[in-house]
Every structure is written in structure tokens, then in C-alpha cells.
Amino acid sequence: MISIDSNEILPFIQFNGQTSRERGYEHGTILSERIDRSIKIYREQFLQQNNSNEKYILQLCEQYRRGISLFSSDYLEELDSIAISSKQDPLWIIALNSRLEILNHLAFGIQNECTVLYDKQTCRLAENWDWIQDFEHLAFINYIKSNEILQMTEPGVLGKIGFNSYGIGITLNFVDSSAQSVNSLNIPLNITLRTVLDQAKTFQQACNIFEQNGPGFGGNILLGDDKSQCCCVELPGDKVHFIHDYPYHTNHFLYTTNNDHIKDKSRYQNSLDRYERVKELWTNKNSLESILFDHNDNQRYPICRSYKPTRLGHTGTVCSLIMNLKERTMNITKGNPIHYPKFHQFKLEQEKDSN
């Protein structure tokens, strides 16, 4: 059994299980303490909203559990195995995998979120993950041996930021949903991300999975591959919007100029400021590394953020990562890059022919 130091920042954990049940059991057993802490953090965040209570949260989780069940019995079995082995309520494991959707249901309005980029020349896909400081010591780097997937994810969560052995890579941005017509399929975006990593052998197959799984309920994925193809996949709640060959994204929708649902909120200016700064640096041909690490105390909303107190707790850049999709490597800072600027490299040893 693998053991991990609870104080280690972003440990590397390999799942060797060949079945959904085996992978879920490994996940829940190895990460039980981190899963428990994650649930406590999200429960606190969800319940601090005036329109929220635990009964309502669990009703939402029931909807997403049914959606996952109809979509994939394997994923539901993996989630249930995580719950059993970590001794948690299965619905709270669903909550971890539906946190983006739940936050949008609650109109939570997250101000500190992520910046993503893709360099077509080098086929490198990058992200600053901006979130609660506690996740420096909760998130982990995950190698799923059976499907040859390398990702950075949260305890109890099946899919997040990463790539597979076919050179398909994904990042994730939180974006407030612009439509209130919730995806009737009720497939959480984190489950769709895992599906892409599990199943997509080509860029088009990845796009097809996003299309088939529906419009989601807020969010954006910057999708890239090892053949210089990229696309922003925006999920505003009404339909899936693909913006091809667009190399960067922050936290507002680009498919439309209508962002009225957040224009009166400070997080919209936050996203716009970072977007304009990325655009400036990109036009000047700055490297991915320098863009991710861009930080100036004179900037109101820098791309790379120190931790600052908010109603969510201390939030800022939890880590920076760059995935080289040709070389199948992930270079990641173990913690906030202002404090830990060194990249650590992890590599998928096995590469597959996508033809």
C-alpha cells in the first residue's frame, strides 16, 4: 500500500487497479484523510450561501448521481468504491465531482480562478490553477496505469487537468453559467473530463465527447493535442460552443459579448484584466513560463497570485503546470509559484499510435 505524507505538496500517486472498483478502492484508501478534508472544505463553502442548506446540496447530488449512473456504470462504481474505502457518504463523493455545477447552482461567484494557454508551435498546454490555499496540501498528481493517464486532480475527483497517451490534453476554467437551463443529462464536467482522457484517441473524438455530454452548467475547457490543434470548449448551459484555434482563456465567455450575468461583479473585471494581460504578453511572444509567472504588485489582478484572504479563505495560485503533449510530460510547481518557482517533471512512459 502506498503511503503519503499529509504535509507533502502535490504528491505523485499511481493507481494500479485494472477495474473501476479496484481503482476506486485504491483512491479512497490512499487518500481517505485528504478526501475527508476536501469534503469539509466544500461543505463549509456550499452552506455559507443564504440560498443553501445540506438537504438542497444532497438533492443536487442525487440528480448528478442519476446522471452519472445513466451515463456510465463504471464511473459510478469507481465513485462508490471511493466512498466505501474512504468511509464517506457516496453523495458527498458525488459533490466533490460536481463542485463546479453546485457552485453555479448557488450563484457562488468565484473571483480567483484560472488562466489557461496553448502554444501551437510546441504543443504545450498550460494552466495556473487558482483556488483555496488548502489545496496545496490536498491535490495530487495522479498516474492511472490502466488507461495511461497523467493528471493533477483533487481527492475523490475522477478527472481534472491532464493528458493521455494519445497526446490529448485538457485544462479547466470555472465560468458562471449564462443560461439557467441546466443540462438535463446531469453529467458533471469533471466526469466528462475523465471520459475524454479515458476514451479520446484524436482531437475530434475529444470534441465529440464534449458535444455528446451536453452543454454542462458553466465552465470552459482549453483542449489541445500533440498535432498543434486547440480549441476552447465553452459550456454556458444552453449548448456547447467550440472556438477553434483560440490559444488562451480566463473566466468569462468568449463566444458572446453578452456576459451581463457577471458584468456587475468584480470577478468579471478580474477575468478581463487577466485576459488583456495574457493577450499583451502573447502578442509580444512571451514564453508560457513567463506568462504563468507574471506577477506585479501594481497590477490589480495579476495572472500569478499570492494568497489573499477572501470569503472562501486564503485564495491564490495553487500551482502552475505546463503539459508537453508531444513528449507526454507534465511540468508542475509544487505549490504557489511565487513561493515555489521550480518546475518538477512527470512523464508518461508509454505512448500510443493514434492512427
Side-chain angles (χ1 to χ4, degrees):
M1 179 63 64
I2 298 172
S3 63
I4 54 175
D5 179 352
S6 61
N7 292 315
E8 185 180 0
I9 298 177
L10 298 182
F12 174 84
I13 300 175
Q14 177 174 317
F15 294 162
N16 296 311
Q18 294 298 305
T19 68
S20 299
R21 181 176 299 177
E22 290 169 348
R23 287 189 293 271
Y25 181 82
E26 285 181 287
H27 192 151
T29 302
I30 296 168
L31 292 155
S32 59
E33 293 183 5
R34 293 183 181 221
I35 290 170
D36 185 66
R37 178 61 182 146
S38 293
I39 289 173
K40 288 176 179 175
I41 289 172
Y42 283 122
R43 179 187 277 118
E44 180 182 350
Q45 301 306 332
F46 296 157
L47 297 181
Q48 71 177 261
Q49 288 296 95
N50 293 331
N51 61 336
S52 175
N53 57 61
E54 187 146 348
K55 181 180 178 181
Y56 175 63
I57 298 301
L58 294 181
Q59 285 175 342
L60 290 175
C61 292
E62 287 277 15
Q63 294 176 22
Y64 287 110
R65 180 180 172 83
R66 285 194 294 271
I68 296 167
S69 177
L70 292 171
F71 173 63
S72 169
S73 60
D74 284 342
Y75 289 145
L76 186 63
E77 182 176 51
E78 190 166 343
L79 292 166
D80 283 346
S81 296
I82 292 171
I84 292 167
S85 56
S86 65
K87 299 180 173 59
Q88 297 291 343
D89 182 338
L91 287 181
W92 276 103
I93 299 299
I94 299 293
L96 296 179
N97 286 269
S98 310
R99 64 102 160 160
L100 181 147
E101 288 80 6
I102 293 171
L103 290 170
N104 264 326
H105 278 287
L106 299 177
F108 206 84
I110 299 170
Q111 182 162 318
N112 288 51
E113 261 287 338
C114 312
T115 304
V116 296
L117 310 104
Y118 177 76
D119 183 349
K120 295 179 67 173
Q121 302 301 314
T122 60
C123 298
R124 293 193 301 161
L125 184 62
E127 174 159 359
N128 269 5
W129 181 35
D130 295 351
W131 196 220
I132 302 167
Q133 185 175 6
D134 290 358
F135 281 91
E136 271 197 4
H137 293 280
L138 292 174
F140 65 104
I141 300 151
N142 181 208
Y143 169 43
I144 303 178
K145 187 174 182 180
S146 59
N147 293 344
E148 292 296 327
I149 292 168
L150 190 64
Q151 61 179 350
M152 186 280 293
T153 190
E154 299 176 33
V157 175
L158 296 196
K160 196 170 172 68
I161 302 160
F163 61 92
N164 65 20
S165 57
Y166 295 96
I168 305 296
I170 49 176
T171 64
L172 175 63
N173 292 92
F174 181 93
V175 190
D176 293 40
S177 65
S178 60
Q180 292 305 309
S181 54
V182 184
N183 178 7
S184 60
L185 295 176
N186 284 321
I187 304 171
L189 184 51
N190 286 96
I191 300 300
T192 297
L193 296 179
R194 173 64 179 274
T195 306
V196 169
L197 294 178
D198 276 339
Q199 298 181 9
K201 298 180 181 180
T202 67
F203 184 83
Q204 187 57 53
Q205 286 177 358
C207 291
N208 291 345
I209 290 169
F210 286 117
E211 184 72 50
Q212 291 161 7
N213 282 18
F217 193 42
N220 170 77
I221 299 91
L222 181 54
L223 169 67
D225 74 356
D226 59 356
K227 298 177 176 59
S228 300
Q229 299 180 96
C230 74
C231 162
C232 289
V233 185
E234 295 192 333
L235 304 164
D238 55 355
K239 63 176 293 187
V240 183
H241 295 268
F242 296 98
I243 309 175
H244 287 278
D245 296 317
Y246 213 91
Y248 44 82
H249 201 282
T250 53
N251 301 99
H252 60 283
F253 290 115
L254 302 177
Y255 81 95
T256 176
T257 57
N258 180 10
N259 283 280
D260 288 344
H261 61 296
I262 57 171
K263 279 188 175 176
D264 62 336
K265 311 288 175 56
S266 59
R267 63 185 179 278
Y268 182 59
Q269 192 59 51
N270 179 324
S271 183
L272 281 179
D273 283 4
R274 282 182 291 119
Y275 180 83
E276 292 302 323
R277 179 61 175 162
V278 170
K279 184 177 179 181
E280 175 190 354
L281 295 172
W282 193 267
T283 301
N284 291 334
K285 301 187 183 303
N286 286 61
S287 68
L288 289 183
E289 292 86 349
S290 66
I291 296 175
L292 291 178
F293 287 4
D294 184 64
H295 175 83
N296 187 319
D297 289 335
N298 294 324
Q299 293 172 302
R300 186 179 180 189
Y301 300 117
I303 294 170
C304 185
R305 294 192 190 65
S306 299
Y307 292 115
K308 293 184 178 180
T310 70
R311 64 194 179 104
L312 292 169
H314 283 78
T315 61
T317 301
V318 176
C319 66
S320 296
L321 68 150
I322 300 175
M323 298 174 280
N324 188 317
L325 301 178
K326 281 186 176 293
E327 297 180 358
R328 313 297 200 263
T329 57
M330 176 185 290
N331 290 279
I332 186 167
T333 64
K334 288 195 170 187
N336 184 296
I338 294 171
H339 304 293
Y340 305 98
K342 179 183 176 181
F343 279 105
H344 301 261
Q345 186 173 103
F346 301 87
K347 182 176 176 62
L348 273 186
E349 297 301 331
Q350 180 176 339
E351 298 181 11
K352 294 183 180 179
D353 184 359
S354 60
N355 295 323

